Every structure is written in C-alpha cells, then in structure tokens.
Coordinates of all heavy atoms in Angstrom, one line a residue:
G1 N 110.1 113.1 50.5 CA 108.7 113.4 50.8 C 108.1 112.5 51.8 O 108.6 111.4 52.0
L2 N 107.0 112.9 52.5 CA 106.3 112.1 53.4 C 104.8 112.3 53.1 O 104.3 113.5 53.1 CB 106.6 112.5 54.8 CG 107.5 111.5 55.6 CD1 107.8 112.1 57.0 CD2 106.7 110.2 55.9
A3 N 104.0 111.3 53.0 CA 102.6 111.4 52.8 C 101.9 110.2 53.4 O 102.5 109.2 53.7 CB 102.3 111.5 51.3
I4 N 100.6 110.4 53.6 CA 99.8 109.3 54.1 C 99.4 108.3 53.0 O 98.8 108.8 52.0 CB 98.5 109.8 54.8 CG1 98.9 110.8 55.9 CG2 97.7 108.6 55.4 CD1 99.8 110.3 57.0
D5 N 99.8 107.1 53.1 CA 99.5 106.1 52.0 C 98.3 105.3 52.5 O 98.4 104.5 53.5 CB 100.7 105.2 51.8 CG 100.5 104.2 50.6 OD1 99.5 103.6 50.6 OD2 101.4 104.1 49.8
R6 N 97.2 105.4 51.8 CA 96.0 104.7 52.3 C 96.0 103.2 52.1 O 95.4 102.5 52.8 CB 94.7 105.3 51.5 CG 94.5 106.8 51.8 CD 93.2 107.3 51.2 NE 93.0 108.7 51.5 CZ 92.6 109.2 52.6 NH1 92.2 108.4 53.6 NH2 92.4 110.5 52.8
N7 N 96.8 102.8 51.2 CA 97.0 101.3 51.0 C 97.8 100.7 52.2 O 97.4 99.6 52.7 CB 97.7 101.0 49.7 CG 96.9 101.3 48.5 OD1 95.7 101.2 48.5 ND2 97.5 101.8 47.4
H8 N 98.8 101.4 52.6 CA 99.6 100.9 53.7 C 99.0 101.3 55.1 O 99.4 100.8 56.1 CB 101.0 101.5 53.6 CG 101.9 100.8 52.6 ND1 102.0 101.3 51.3 CD2 102.7 99.8 52.6 CE1 102.8 100.6 50.6 NE2 103.2 99.6 51.3
K9 N 98.1 102.3 55.0 CA 97.4 102.8 56.2 C 98.5 103.4 57.2 O 98.3 103.2 58.4 CB 96.6 101.7 56.9 CG 95.5 101.1 56.1 CD 94.7 100.1 56.8 CE 93.5 99.6 56.0 NZ 93.8 99.0 54.7
R10 N 99.4 104.1 56.7 CA 100.4 104.7 57.5 C 101.2 105.7 56.6 O 101.1 105.7 55.4 CB 101.4 103.6 58.0 CG 102.2 102.8 57.0 CD 102.9 101.7 57.6 NE 102.0 100.7 58.2 CZ 102.4 99.8 59.0 NH1 103.7 99.7 59.4 NH2 101.6 98.9 59.5
P11 N 102.1 106.5 57.2 CA 102.9 107.4 56.4 C 103.9 106.6 55.7 O 104.4 105.5 56.1 CB 103.6 108.3 57.5 CG 102.8 108.2 58.7 CD 102.2 106.8 58.7
V12 N 104.3 107.1 54.5 CA 105.3 106.5 53.7 C 106.4 107.5 53.3 O 106.0 108.6 52.8 CB 104.7 105.8 52.4 CG1 105.8 105.3 51.5 CG2 103.9 104.6 52.8
V13 N 107.6 107.2 53.6 CA 108.7 108.1 53.1 C 109.0 107.8 51.6 O 109.1 106.7 51.2 CB 110.0 107.8 53.9 CG1 111.2 108.7 53.4 CG2 109.8 108.1 55.4
M14 N 109.1 108.9 50.9 CA 109.5 108.8 49.5 C 110.8 109.5 49.2 O 110.9 110.7 49.6 CB 108.4 109.3 48.6 CG 107.1 108.6 48.7 SD 105.7 109.4 47.9 CE 105.5 110.8 49.0
A15 N 111.8 108.9 48.7 CA 113.1 109.5 48.5 C 113.6 109.2 47.1 O 113.3 108.1 46.5 CB 114.1 109.1 49.5
S16 N 114.3 110.2 46.5 CA 114.8 110.0 45.2 C 116.1 110.7 45.0 O 116.3 111.8 45.6 CB 113.8 110.4 44.1 OG 114.3 110.3 42.8
T17 N 117.0 110.2 44.1 CA 118.2 110.9 43.8 C 117.9 112.1 42.8 O 118.7 112.9 42.5 CB 119.2 110.0 43.1 OG1 118.6 109.3 42.0 CG2 119.7 108.9 44.1
E18 N 116.7 112.1 42.3 CA 116.3 113.1 41.3 C 115.6 114.3 41.9 O 114.4 114.6 41.8 CB 115.3 112.5 40.2 CG 115.8 111.3 39.5 CD 117.2 111.5 38.8 OE1 117.1 112.4 37.9 OE2 118.2 110.9 39.2
G19 N 116.4 115.1 42.7 CA 115.9 116.2 43.4 C 115.9 117.5 42.5 O 116.7 117.5 41.5
G20 N 115.2 118.5 42.9 CA 115.2 119.7 42.1 C 114.3 119.7 40.9 O 114.3 120.7 40.1
V21 N 113.6 118.6 40.6 CA 112.8 118.6 39.4 C 111.4 118.1 39.9 O 111.2 117.8 41.0 CB 113.3 117.6 38.3 CG1 114.6 118.0 37.8 CG2 113.4 116.2 38.9
E22 N 110.4 118.2 39.0 CA 109.0 117.8 39.3 C 109.0 116.3 39.6 O 109.2 115.5 38.7 CB 108.1 118.1 38.2 CG 108.0 119.6 37.9 CD 107.3 119.9 36.6 OE1 106.5 119.1 36.2 OE2 107.6 121.0 36.0
I23 N 108.7 115.9 40.9 CA 108.6 114.5 41.3 C 107.6 113.7 40.5 O 107.7 112.5 40.3 CB 108.5 114.4 42.8 CG1 108.8 113.0 43.3 CG2 107.1 114.8 43.2 CD1 110.2 112.6 43.0
E24 N 106.5 114.4 40.1 CA 105.5 113.8 39.3 C 106.0 113.2 38.0 O 105.7 112.2 37.5 CB 104.3 114.7 39.0 CG 103.6 115.2 40.3 CD 104.2 116.4 40.9 OE1 105.2 116.9 40.4 OE2 103.6 116.9 41.9
K25 N 106.9 114.0 37.4 CA 107.6 113.6 36.2 C 108.5 112.4 36.4 O 108.5 111.5 35.6 CB 108.4 114.8 35.6 CG 109.0 114.5 34.2 CD 109.6 115.8 33.7 CE 110.2 115.5 32.3 NZ 110.9 116.7 31.8
V26 N 109.2 112.4 37.5 CA 110.1 111.3 37.8 C 109.2 110.0 38.0 O 109.5 108.9 37.5 CB 110.9 111.6 39.1 CG1 111.7 110.4 39.5 CG2 111.8 112.8 38.9
A27 N 108.1 110.2 38.8 CA 107.2 109.0 39.0 C 106.7 108.4 37.8 O 106.5 107.2 37.7 CB 106.1 109.4 40.0
E28 N 106.4 109.3 36.8 CA 105.8 108.8 35.5 C 106.8 108.2 34.6 O 106.6 107.2 34.0 CB 105.1 110.0 34.8 CG 104.5 109.6 33.5 CD 103.8 110.8 32.9 OE1 103.7 111.9 33.4 OE2 103.3 110.6 31.7
E29 N 108.0 108.8 34.5 CA 109.0 108.4 33.5 C 110.0 107.4 34.1 O 110.4 106.5 33.4 CB 109.7 109.6 33.0 CG 108.8 110.6 32.2 CD 109.5 111.8 31.7 OE1 110.7 111.9 31.9 OE2 108.8 112.6 31.0
T30 N 110.4 107.6 35.3 CA 111.5 106.7 35.9 C 111.1 106.3 37.3 O 111.8 106.7 38.3 CB 112.9 107.3 35.9 OG1 112.8 108.6 36.5 CG2 113.4 107.5 34.5

C-alpha cells in the first residue's frame, strides 16, 4: 500500500507478508 502520512509529511510505502486478508486486522493484531 501507499498513502500520504501526515506525520512524515510524505508518502509512505506499507508492505506485509500477510496479503489477501484485511490489512486493518493485521495492523491491529500483528
């Protein structure tokens, strides 16, 4: 994923080995 991170004031790449599932769940649990 790529999104604008207001804290960094720039785009931030987000990558995970946990593809195919809800990334919100990954962010919360692991």
Side-chain angles (χ1 to χ4, degrees):
L2 253 172
I4 305 299
D5 187 312
R6 296 188 183 277
N7 290 327
H8 287 89
K9 298 181 177 63
R10 63 187 64 194
V12 172
V13 177
M14 298 168 289
S16 175
T17 55
E18 305 301 299
V21 298
E22 298 168 26
I23 195 63
E24 297 86 358
K25 186 176 181 180
V26 178
E28 181 179 354
E29 298 178 359
T30 53

